[in-house]
Amino acid sequence: MSVYLHDIPLSTAQERFKSALQEADLWRVLGTETIPLDENALGRITAGPIWAKVSSPNYHASAMDGFAVRAEDTVGAGPGSPIILSTASRSSNPPMTTYVDTGDPLPDWANAVIPIENTEALDENGAIASSLRNPSAIRIRAAVAPWTNVRPLGEDIVATQLVLPAGHTLRPADLGAIAAAGHVELQVARRPRVAILPTGSELVPIGTELKRGDILEYNSLVMAAQIKAMGAEPVRSPITIDDFEAICARVEEAAQDCDLILLNAGSSAGAEDFSAQVVEKLGTLLVHGVAVRPGHPVIIGLIDRGSKAGGEKSRIPIIGVPGYPVSAAMTVDIFVEPILAQWLGRRPLELPEVEAALTRKITSPAGDDDYIRVALGRVGEKLLAAPLARGAGVITSLVRADGLLVLPRGEQGAEAGQKVRLRLVRPPGDLEKTIFCIGSHDVILDLLAQFLAEYDRRFVSANVGSQAGLVALGRGEAHLAGSHLLDPDTGEYNLAALQQYLPGIPVRLVTLVHREQGLMVQRGNPKGIYNLASLKRPEVCFMNRQRGAGTRVLLDYQLNFLGIATSDIRGYNQEEYTHLGVAAAVASGRADCGLGIPAAAQALDLDFVPLYHERYDLVVPKVYASSSLLAPLWDVLDGLEFRNAVSALPGYDVREMGRMILEN
């Protein structure tokens, strides 16, 4: 009888998995191998301690070009009382000095080296010699202490000392130290082989021309890269269609020569739940459903493979990985990384942590461990964390993430401004180069980010609408905001809004572009939508922007001017947060039209009905406007290259780009 374990706590799932691996004798280093000491050893994990076979250096060596001496023979030398040391042997006694190059063995009788530039070479007559390396004698004007300018035997490594411990990830310098210690090969942990099996009839390979219903299969690519970065060897399989017997056969095949199987499928409970059925048929189902977001429908089990000598069967762990991209990637981080660390004999990955203040309130299910992706930036003295899109299918949220906020089960969220501990997934130094832009969306902000990257700046934009962007500036949560808020009384943009939302805060208001706004409609405009009056027709479905967005303000202003009630527009209360979001809604058939910009229409292959022109500005508090962080921004806006790039997009007028409207 099947036993399905739904949404057990994360800690319980991890402990159950660990216990099963221990019982199967799989909670250990899986094996070792001896490899040559060359550049291919980089990144491997030492399987045991490495002890020095020889000392380095293995003799007393000169640390520079000069003359080897006995330090006691130099006593008394000074600027006014030079000492002459002969290079000739004295009957059965060694010479008083002899020339040595850097790295040469020090003569047995010597215990110091005088740099060549601190000597005067003399010939047999006591005159200055023509040869610095083969004089009859040298004259010195300063004494040296014993072992000056000498690398003594074992200065770096002494034979039998510990060079590196077990469980150490080899770096370039480590390879040199191992070689210096006399090794030509070394023992390392065997790389675990991880099979990655994508399944699903809707999946198609990367590069396929997509048709409706097709889903590009790239989870295996992401997971393979994660596995490789963790030190293991990924083995990617072709897509297997949703056929139970075919999936079982693929799993059994992978089990023959791999150590772990990642079965990437739609593993949520239901009739097509092949992952759980496969695990049950081939072995033992341990977990089906974990209270963690993203990644709820995780499946964990052990399956049988082959037989050991004596007929005893061995077992191999299998993880049913959710199909959504973020869930899949997070499942590898949460469940796979600790196992690979154990198998490789290294410590589990520990991300550095920082404390930051949240820019907005977030909610979390009380019963789940919630992994929330955030963008980070320093605004003034505050390190701020802006939560990113939460969807399990939003792979770009992992691309844009600087850190992870982990809210443990029992906590139902966090308030705006609350300080939280975050795990960094980006180098800390990058945070000091981050420009935070919160406000209205425009596709050229992505273009601006590309240009600023050439100045070693990260431009992170959050699309919350013009009004919310100004509010964020007032709270000190951004360096600048994009805004196009129309004042219905004056027809002017942004000036009245600055007085309303940023009273008393000195700002610089700069024009970015003038742009068109109009109706984005499906290719060919099948419903004949040519103006706002068309929105009153009952067969027309509209997609709106969120409250506070400049485009929403413009729409409401024009509807009021035309005497059109919002209640007459089907879809007026449907909202998207970006122009591209509206365009996607129209392209997918969720709506027939939406107000937006021509660049977004072009991006989704839509037709565009131009209606209005508006000014889109950047609002920058003066304290940041003159900072070194934002200095490259003004260089980009003044340059022809960025202007030309924006002009190449439809619907933009760049003639006033960079013009200062206000500085108070």
Side-chain angles (χ1 to χ4, degrees), residues 17 21 197 251 259-263 275 278-279 282 284 286 299-303 316-320:
F17 196 16
L21 291 172
L197 313 181
V251 169
D259 303 294
L260 169 66
I261 295 175
L262 302 182
L263 184 58
S275 296
V278 168
V279 175
L282 303 179
T284 304
L286 300 170
I299 289 169
I300 299 173
L302 293 178
I303 62 173
I316 176 176
I318 182 170
I319 299 177

Side-chain angles (χ1 to χ4, degrees), residues 496-509:
L498 293 183
Q499 295 178 0
Q500 180 180 356
Y501 296 107
L502 298 174
I505 298 179
V507 299
R508 182 184 295 181
L509 183 65

